[in-house]
Amino acid sequence: DTEVTQTPKHLVMGMTNKKSLKCEQHMGHRAMYWYKQKAKKPPELMFVYSYEKLSINESVPSRFSPECPNSSLLNLHLHALQPEDSALYLCASSPPSRAYGYTFGSGTRLTVV
Amino acid sequence: DAKTTQPNSMESNEEEPVHLPCNHSTISGTDYIHWYRQLPSQGPEYVIHGLTSNVNNRMASLAIAEDRKSSTLILHRATLRDAAVYYCILSVPTDSWGKLQFGAGTQVVVTP
C-alpha cells in the first residue's frame, strides 16, 4: 500500500459544528503532516508529527486540534471554524529521513458556512 | 527559512522536453531540493529530489548547479498529462527529517 487516504473528500460545516478530518497510511512512515491550501495558492504547513508526537505547530489557531492516535492514523479536529478556514486540507507522510520524498493524500475540501 | 523562486508559468509543446528552472540562492548545505507537481483537485505528487548530484528517475531528471543555488527539473517528453503546477521546494532540517515549505510554483501548460 503506497497511498495516503483522506476522509471525507468533501465536508460542509457550520461555524458552531465540531467535525474531524481523518488521514491514514500503511507505509510505515513515522512522520505525518497537515497542510492547508487555499485556492490558487501553494500548500501551507500546519502541523508535523514525528513518532506520534507533535513536533511542529506553525502557529495554527486552537480551533484546529491535531491528534495522532497511532503510527498509521492522523486526525484533525475542527471546532468553531470561520468561513475563511474554507480550504483544501492535505495530509502527507514520509519516512523518518530527509533522504526520502513525501506522499500526499488527495485532500479534504472543507467549506465553512 | 530558505526560499525558492520559479517562473509563474511555462508553455511547452507535446512530446518536447520541458526545462523548469528554480533559484534557491539562500540554500544551506543540508537542504534537500524537492520537486512536486499538483494536478487540479489533487494532492501534490512527488516527482524527484536531490542533495548535490544530478538525479534521474522514471518521471524526470533533476540537474543541480555546482554551487547548489539553482536547479532545473527536466521532463524529457511532455505529455498532456504533465500539465500541472510544479513546485520546487527546499527540505529544511528539523530534528530527524525535513519540513517542506512550498513556494509559488510554475504552472506548466502543454499544448498538442
Side-chain angles (χ1 to χ4, degrees):
Chain A
D1 187 353
T2 58
E3 289 186 346
V4 172
T5 303
Q6 289 188 245
T7 54
K9 293 200 179 305
H10 301 273
L11 178 63
V12 179
M13 62 183 290
M15 289 188 284
T16 58
N17 291 160
K18 287 185 181 181
K19 296 287 185 182
S20 297
L21 310 184
K22 179 180 172 181
C23 172
E24 199 164 4
Q25 57 89 12
H26 297 285
M27 295 176 280
H29 292 173
R30 302 309 295 272
M32 297 185 76
Y33 313 82
W34 280 115
Y35 282 81
K36 173 183 177 180
Q37 186 174 26
K38 302 282 279 185
K40 307 285 188 187
K41 297 291 186 182
E44 298 176 0
L45 182 65
M46 299 175 72
F47 302 104
V48 179
Y49 271 83
S50 61
Y51 290 94
E52 296 88 69
K53 293 190 187 308
L54 182 65
S55 63
I56 295 176
N57 176 341
E58 293 284 279
S59 303
V60 178
S62 59
R63 57 186 184 270
F64 296 91
S65 177
E67 178 196 22
C68 190
N70 58 57
S71 60
S72 300
L73 189 57
L74 185 67
N75 297 320
L76 185 63
H77 303 298
L78 314 172
H79 173 56
L81 295 193
Q82 302 297 311
E84 57 264 30
D85 296 321
S86 299
L88 180 68
Y89 288 84
L90 294 160
C91 175
S93 70
S94 72
S97 167
R98 294 189 303 120
Y100 297 90
Y102 287 26
T103 302
F104 281 84
S106 57
T108 293
R109 176 76 60 189
L110 174 68
T111 303
V112 181
V113 298
Chain B
D1 289 334
K3 292 186 178 178
T4 61
T5 304
Q6 301 176 250
N8 289 334
S9 64
M10 291 192 72
E11 193 166 329
S12 175
N13 295 321
E14 198 175 10
E15 298 190 4
E16 294 289 320
V18 182
H19 291 242
L20 299 176
C22 180
N23 288 321
H24 28 79
S25 58
T26 59
I27 191 170
S28 299
T30 55
D31 292 346
Y32 279 79
I33 302 161
H34 285 240
W35 284 84
Y36 288 76
R37 71 181 186 181
Q38 189 172 23
L39 280 66
S41 301
Q42 294 189 24
E45 176 188 23
Y46 169 79
V47 177
I48 201 166
H49 77 291
L51 185 61
T52 57
S53 304
N54 294 343
V55 185
N56 300 297
N57 66 23
R58 63 175 181 81
M59 289 183 70
S61 295
L62 176 60
I64 301 173
E66 196 168 333
D67 64 6
R68 300 207 329 124
K69 294 187 176 184
S70 66
S71 61
T72 301
L73 178 71
I74 303 163
L75 306 179
H76 297 287
R77 290 182 69 224
T79 69
L80 297 178
R81 290 167 52 185
D82 292 322
V85 178
Y86 285 76
Y87 294 103
C88 170
I89 308 162
L90 298 183
S91 175
V92 178
T94 60
D95 298 324
S96 300
W97 46 78
K99 178 172 77 170
L100 293 184
Q101 291 187 307
F102 287 73
T106 297
Q107 176 70 61
V108 170
V109 177
V110 180
T111 54

